[in-house]
Each structure stands twice: as structure tokens, then as C-alpha cells.
Amino acid sequence: MREKLLFISAENPFPQDSGGKLRTGNILNILLGKYDIDLLTYRNSRPADDQHEVPGLAVHEVERTVNYRKAMLRSLYKRRNSSYMSHVDVDMRGKIGELCRQNSYRHVFISHSLLGICIDIVREVLPGTVIITDAHNFESGLSAQLAAKKKGFAKLFYSLNARWTKRDELKLMDKTNLLLTTSEQDGLAFESLSIPNSHKVHVIPNFIRIGDYPANTGIPKENWIILPGNMNYFPNINAASYFYREIYPLIKAKVPEIKWYIVGRDVHPEVAALAEKDPSIVITGYVDSVADYVRKAKVVIAPLREGSGTRLKILEAWALKTPVVSSTKGAEGLLYEHSRNILIADDPVTFADSVIQLLHDHERGIVLADRAYETLMGNYEAGSVREKLLGLV
């Protein structure tokens, strides 16, 4: 009989329609090769038909009562990050205790550093269990980036968020047995918080299962560029706005028939407004398959100027053999070589010229995409990280 593991995730990974869900679901899939898993998560507003049919996986769902507004207010008197993930103790405390008493787990996996409060809840029942935390991002750094762009009360609020998050990340380093990060950069950031606990930090890069990305079956490329991602995530909102202001006009001047697709869920009003200003911009909102759009596009863009971790949107483009133009920040944490498997551009003119080059030179795009695919298969496909992950957990 296999050991049972408790896997706590605020974001239900079914369906896998965002970068965070992809990482959570892909790690879950690997761990199912070793453990039977109780997944504790919030009930999903878009339930997937197959989530209860995975062998060895039992899904336990709770209702979400802490919305973003309530989380922001609660953060002020709890002195805790304002993300609803930081306040899951309101909804999950009872179920965590119940599952731990029933199963006496030897291992508990917590899928996000913002769920650090769950460690105390688990240890109340199982003081000796091994707890593995997957950080996803260096959240205090993200909060500081967000604060830097705000003014007035908002700046003060997010500056406090950054301070509280850094304090809780330090506590997390003390309390968790292992801490997984998506990149060397995030790993170093966590290690610098607590040198005595630096041995707990291990890099498990974002990765994909290539079987989820069938090869292009002769679908012709359209004269599209595409920005995929969760469009309520502030680095993506700012990237879309920056690209629209500084880069897109330069591309349209040379390629007037161009179409720019923004594909992702939870579209922020600032992003939605772009399509109202320019009919060549198509905003899809939630779609069942982002891959269908990426396959048709000639270029995937990642003009990010903030954020952390590694971009699953780039890995998906590599898997689908669509060339990528990215900022240095957008490609951070990935193994890349400019002009070999990706084009890197950090100013508007260079970024626009790189996109135009790939729109006009299809063969150049094919070579770039083929090399990117090789990089993906050697470093960011599930098979390349499975052994390391199972060796740690």
C-alpha cells in the first residue's frame, strides 16, 4: 500500500488554464507516481470533468469565503499579505485538521509560499510531519515591485504588504523542511533571507508535459502576435500596456495588417480598454485551449518588466514551436541564448524590430523555434525534472 500525502493548494489546478495551475498540476502528476494524494483546494468556478478520475487522487474542496476585498481588509489587522491565498486559514483550517487526524500524513506538500500559515495548522496535529513548500514566486519582491508603481495610500498599503510578506517568508524558511523555487534567482533571494536555512532551498524549474502539446498538424501560421497569460496579474497588465504604448505602433507602421491577440483569463479593465482603442487588438478572455492560438501565431511576445519565477508562457511557445521575443525580465530563470533559441530585446525599437523580423522571415522563426524546442526537451520537460523532484519529496 502506497503512502498517502496531503497536497494543499489554494488554486484548484483543474482545469490547467494558467501558469500557476500548470505548475501545480504538473508537480501533482509527478508525485502521483509515488504517493496516493489527498488534494485540498478551493472549489473551482470552472470544474474539470476529469479531476475525480485520476488514479490515486482524492479531491477535497472547500468553499471560498475570503474574496480579494475581504483579504485586503483582513491583511491590515493580521499584518499579512493581502492575497486571498494568505488567508486560507479562514476556510481551510477545519478541513486540514480533519484530514491530518484521519490520515497521520508523513509528508505534506504546500503549493505556494503564501500558504505558509497552513504549516502551523498542520503541526498542531502532526508536529513531526515533513513539510515541503513550493514557493511559485518570491512574493515579497513582487509586492515591492507593485508598491514602487503606486502612489499615495496604495503605495503605503503595498509597501506594508512587502514588509509583512518578507517577514512571513523568513518564518516560512524556519518552519518548512524543504522550499522549492522555480529559478536560481528566486532561490538566491530566499537563501539571502536566512543563511542558516539556505540548505532547505532547491530549484525545481517550471516544466511541462510534452504530451499535452500535440505537434502542429499542418495548421497555417497567421499574421498574428500573441501575448498569453492571466490578464489580472499586474506584471502582465503592465506588460500589455507598455507594449501597446511603446512597441505596437512601431510594428503597425511596418506591418499594418498585423493582429495582436491577448489570450488569457480574468481580463483587467486596463487591458480590455486596449481593444476598444484599436480594432487590430483581439482580447479573447478565457479560452479552453491557449495552445490553439499559439500554434497559429507567428510570434509570442513576453515584454515583461517585472515579476519573478519563470514564464510558462514561453515554455508553452517552445513546446508548440512558435518563436518568442522577450525582454530579459520575461526570460529570467530560463536557459536561453539570444538569437539562438529566443530573441531578447529591452527597448521598444529593438523589440519591435525583432518582432517584424520574425513576421517577415518565416524560415528564421522555424530555426529559432526548433532550437528552443531542443532546449525545452533537455531542461523543462517533465522527464527532465521527475527524478530530482521525487528524490526530494
Side-chain angles (χ1 to χ4, degrees):
M1 186 174 179
R2 300 199 308 173
E3 181 183 338
K4 186 173 281 191
L5 174 145
L6 175 61
F7 193 110
I8 303 173
S9 174
E11 221 179 10
N12 192 318
F14 304 106
Q16 293 193 278
D17 55 10
S18 71
K21 289 185 175 187
L22 275 170
R23 179 172 176 85
T24 299
N26 288 343
I27 286 178
L28 188 66
N29 182 266
I30 287 180
L31 294 180
L32 280 166
K34 182 176 181 179
Y35 298 96
D36 288 334
I37 293 179
D38 284 324
L39 169 64
L40 175 60
T41 187
Y42 280 122
R43 192 176 307 281
N44 203 330
S45 59
R46 295 191 190 95
D49 294 336
D50 61 347
Q51 72 176 38
H52 296 288
E53 300 175 3
V54 179
L57 178 65
V59 181
H60 306 268
E61 296 176 320
V62 296
E63 296 293 341
R64 177 180 292 135
T65 65
V66 181
N67 57 28
Y68 286 101
R69 180 178 177 80
K70 187 181 290 186
M72 290 180 74
L73 292 173
R74 193 169 187 258
S75 71
L76 291 172
Y77 66 86
K78 285 290 185 178
R79 297 185 180 183
R80 197 184 295 171
N81 182 283
S82 60
S83 167
Y84 78 88
M85 288 191 188
S86 305
H87 301 266
V88 295
D89 52 311
V90 174
D91 300 319
M92 292 191 177
R93 177 178 292 275
K95 194 64 177 179
I96 291 173
E98 175 189 329
L99 289 170
C100 287
R101 283 189 290 272
Q102 289 175 352
N103 296 280
S104 298
Y105 304 104
R106 290 173 54 202
H107 293 83
V108 174
F109 192 100
I110 295 176
S111 184
H112 212 296
S113 59
L114 291 178
L115 304 184
I117 189 67
C118 295
I119 296 178
D120 291 337
I121 302 172
V122 170
R123 295 223 187 272
E124 288 173 8
V125 183
L126 302 173
T129 195
V130 175
I131 294 180
I132 305 97
T133 304
D134 184 31
H136 280 249
N137 293 297
F138 186 60
E139 289 292 336
S140 62
L142 282 177
S143 294
Q145 291 173 28
L146 183 57
K149 294 185 175 296
K150 300 292 183 178
K151 296 179 180 179
F153 177 78
K155 188 177 187 70
L156 174 62
F157 178 79
Y158 287 108
S159 295
L160 288 171
N161 257 264
R163 185 183 305 172
W164 296 333
T165 306
K166 188 172 184 177
R167 176 206 62 198
D168 287 343
E169 286 171 340
L170 182 57
K171 290 180 181 178
L172 177 67
M173 289 285 287
D174 283 331
K175 293 177 180 180
T176 195
N177 295 95
L178 289 173
L179 183 75
L180 309 183
T181 68
T182 66
S183 69
E184 294 289 348
Q185 288 89 340
D186 281 7
L188 290 172
F190 276 104
E191 289 175 6
S192 69
L193 288 178
S194 177
I195 300 302
N197 290 306
S198 61
H199 64 282
K200 297 179 180 180
V201 178
H202 298 269
V203 177
I204 297 293
N206 280 329
F207 61 95
I208 64 170
R209 295 180 291 172
I210 198 63
D212 294 339
Y213 301 87
N216 189 323
T217 54
I219 299 173
K221 290 285 189 183
E222 305 284 348
N223 221 31
W224 298 353
I225 56 177
I226 179 172
L227 174 64
N230 179 350
M231 286 303 146
N232 200 32
Y233 179 48
F234 83 87
N236 290 340
I237 297 169
N238 293 342
S241 297
Y242 162 67
F243 186 83
Y244 172 79
R245 290 192 316 269
E246 306 291 339
I247 302 172
Y248 194 48
L250 303 178
I251 296 172
K252 287 187 68 179
K254 297 289 182 68
V255 190
E257 72 278 13
I258 190 68
K259 289 282 187 180
W260 173 21
Y261 277 74
I262 300 175
V263 183
R265 63 190 179 101
D266 301 332
V267 179
H268 190 277
E270 186 176 330
V271 177
L274 301 182
E276 298 173 5
K277 300 173 184 176
D278 188 332
S280 72
I281 300 173
V282 180
I283 297 178
T284 66
Y286 175 81
V287 296
D288 289 331
S289 175
V290 176
D292 289 343
Y293 289 85
V294 175
R295 283 191 188 92
K296 291 182 180 180
K298 286 187 177 178
V299 185
V300 167
I301 58 170
L304 286 94
R305 300 193 291 175
E306 57 231 327
S308 72
T310 55
R311 320 301 166 194
L312 273 154
K313 61 175 68 70
I314 292 180
L315 298 184
E316 291 188 299
W318 287 2
L320 295 164
K321 294 193 173 183
T322 300
V324 177
V325 179
S326 174
S327 61
T328 299
K329 188 66 177 177
E332 185 177 79
L334 295 175
L335 295 173
Y336 68 84
E337 184 179 339
H338 170 62
S339 290
R340 185 182 183 279
N341 55 10
I342 196 170
L343 295 182
I344 299 295
D346 289 315
D347 66 88
V349 172
T350 306
F351 204 110
D353 287 346
S354 298
V355 172
I356 293 166
Q357 176 191 142
L358 292 175
L359 290 172
H360 287 159
D361 190 348
H362 183 57
E363 292 303 315
R364 175 81 173 101
I366 290 174
V367 171
L368 203 71
D370 284 345
R371 289 172 177 166
Y373 185 84
E374 292 172 4
T375 303
L376 170 79
M377 293 303 293
N379 301 278
Y380 303 109
E381 204 281 323
S384 66
V385 302
R386 180 177 287 107
E387 185 176 344
K388 181 177 182 179
L389 179 59
L390 293 180
L392 290 170
V393 182

